[in-house]
Amino acid sequence: MVEWKNNGASETKVKVSNLDFYYGGIQALFGITMDIPSRRVTALIGPSGCGKSTFLRTLNRMNDIIDGTRVTGQILIDGEDIYDGTSDVVKLRKKVGMVFQKSNPFPKSIFENVAYGPRTHGVRSRRQLEEIVERSLSRAALWDEVKDRLDVSAMDLSGGQQQRLCIARALAIEPEILLMDEPASALDPKATAKIEDLIDQLCSDYTIVIVTHNMQQAARVSDMTAFFYEGRLVEMGCTEQIFTKPGHSQTEDYITGRFG
């Protein structure tokens, strides 16, 4: 079992210990142990079906909605065990936001998409909602493009704009961690560059964990990289080290395109 511990350069935000995950009788993750540093970008790489997205969804218990799943081991966020029987899942998902591979705006206005989360958590003041919407869209680098048409349907936005809207929607509830599951895989190069620039800006305020199949993207946007293979963490370390001097031949073979 490979373990990776934060070397102390940054505070640990998420501590994962001996994590196993099962879909019914099928084990998908095996003994995952890692520390995810605070306010850094951690990229999860590996071939399709290796457990990256499954692992990502364990961090906000999104897998709970799938019947028959089971988790053993421990995930601590700020020292609190999120799989403790007393853990509040609603509170967890407010703290740990998520952006999916395919943009999924609600069939509502741009404004209502961003205001949805704060409304759900009890914000009723129109003025406060307007402030949240402007702040969130600004953080998602979308405000200048949509500020004069907030009442327009989100479905009228381009694909790249829709994905940034989904990021704004996630940011509106003030999470501390942002999970991104291949957020740019369906976008053209120009829109992808905007998402990558946005990630670079956001990491000073948020802990970001991103799943990507794009090796160049992982090298560009992340501080740390974790390589998964067949449900196991093979290696994790500083991105520069993983891409220039990996410790395992399997990691090198994947990064150089010999398999995957």
Side-chain angles (χ1 to χ4, degrees), residues 31-103:
I32 307 298
T33 294
M34 69 163 75
D35 292 354
I36 297 174
S38 178
R39 297 187 180 185
R40 296 288 187 272
V41 181
T42 298
L44 311 180
I45 64 171
S48 296
C50 69
K52 305 183 300 295
S53 292
T54 294
F55 174 73
L56 190 75
R57 292 193 301 267
T58 65
L59 301 178
N60 69 346
R61 294 185 53 174
M62 193 62 73
N63 290 318
D64 288 13
I65 64 176
I66 304 171
D67 289 339
T69 58
R70 181 167 59 92
V71 176
T72 63
Q74 189 179 65
I75 298 178
L76 302 179
I77 296 180
D78 293 329
E80 295 186 12
D81 185 351
I82 67 170
Y83 284 93
D84 185 305
T86 62
S87 178
D88 184 335
V89 177
V90 174
K91 184 178 176 182
L92 170 68
R93 291 181 186 151
K94 185 177 186 299
K95 187 172 187 173
V96 186
M98 188 160 190
V99 177
F100 297 92
Q101 178 177 0
K102 190 175 187 297
S103 59

Side-chain angles (χ1 to χ4, degrees), residues 28-211:
L29 296 174
F30 299 81
I32 307 298
T33 294
M34 69 163 75
D35 292 354
I36 297 174
S38 178
R39 297 187 180 185
R40 296 288 187 272
V41 181
T42 298
L44 311 180
I45 64 171
S48 296
C50 69
K52 305 183 300 295
S53 292
T54 294
F55 174 73
L56 190 75
R57 292 193 301 267
T58 65
L59 301 178
N60 69 346
R61 294 185 53 174
M62 193 62 73
N63 290 318
D64 288 13
I65 64 176
I66 304 171
D67 289 339
T69 58
R70 181 167 59 92
V71 176
T72 63
Q74 189 179 65
I75 298 178
L76 302 179
I77 296 180
D78 293 329
E80 295 186 12
D81 185 351
I82 67 170
Y83 284 93
D84 185 305
T86 62
S87 178
D88 184 335
V89 177
V90 174
K91 184 178 176 182
L92 170 68
R93 291 181 186 151
K94 185 177 186 299
K95 187 172 187 173
V96 186
M98 188 160 190
V99 177
F100 297 92
Q101 178 177 0
K102 190 175 187 297
S103 59
N104 59 342
F106 302 141
K108 300 174 180 285
S109 70
I110 294 168
F111 183 94
E112 290 301 331
N113 263 268
V114 182
Y116 179 85
R119 283 192 203 277
T120 301
H121 290 282
V123 178
R124 294 289 177 264
S125 163
R126 177 73 185 188
R127 183 172 180 178
Q128 190 176 356
L129 287 170
E130 288 173 349
E131 291 173 353
I132 292 170
V133 169
E134 180 175 351
R135 181 171 65 247
S136 302
L137 288 170
S138 296
R139 284 177 175 171
L142 190 58
W143 174 251
D144 288 341
E145 297 172 39
V146 302
K147 62 184 178 183
D148 296 323
R149 50 190 180 123
L150 296 178
D151 292 331
V152 169
S153 171
M155 312 310 288
D156 291 343
L157 297 175
S158 70
Q161 288 174 324
Q162 287 187 8
Q163 191 64 303
R164 280 182 284 147
L165 177 65
C166 292
I167 293 171
R169 193 173 66 196
L171 297 179
I173 58 172
E174 296 292 334
E176 297 175 21
I177 299 170
L178 192 59
L179 309 179
M180 296 182 160
D181 195 353
E182 296 192 69
S185 64
L187 304 180
D188 61 43
K190 186 176 179 180
T192 295
K194 286 188 176 182
I195 296 292
E196 292 182 4
D197 288 344
L198 179 56
I199 291 169
D200 186 55
Q201 294 167 28
L202 291 173
C203 72
S204 61
D205 296 314
Y206 303 92
T207 300
I208 298 175
V209 186
I210 178 172
V211 168

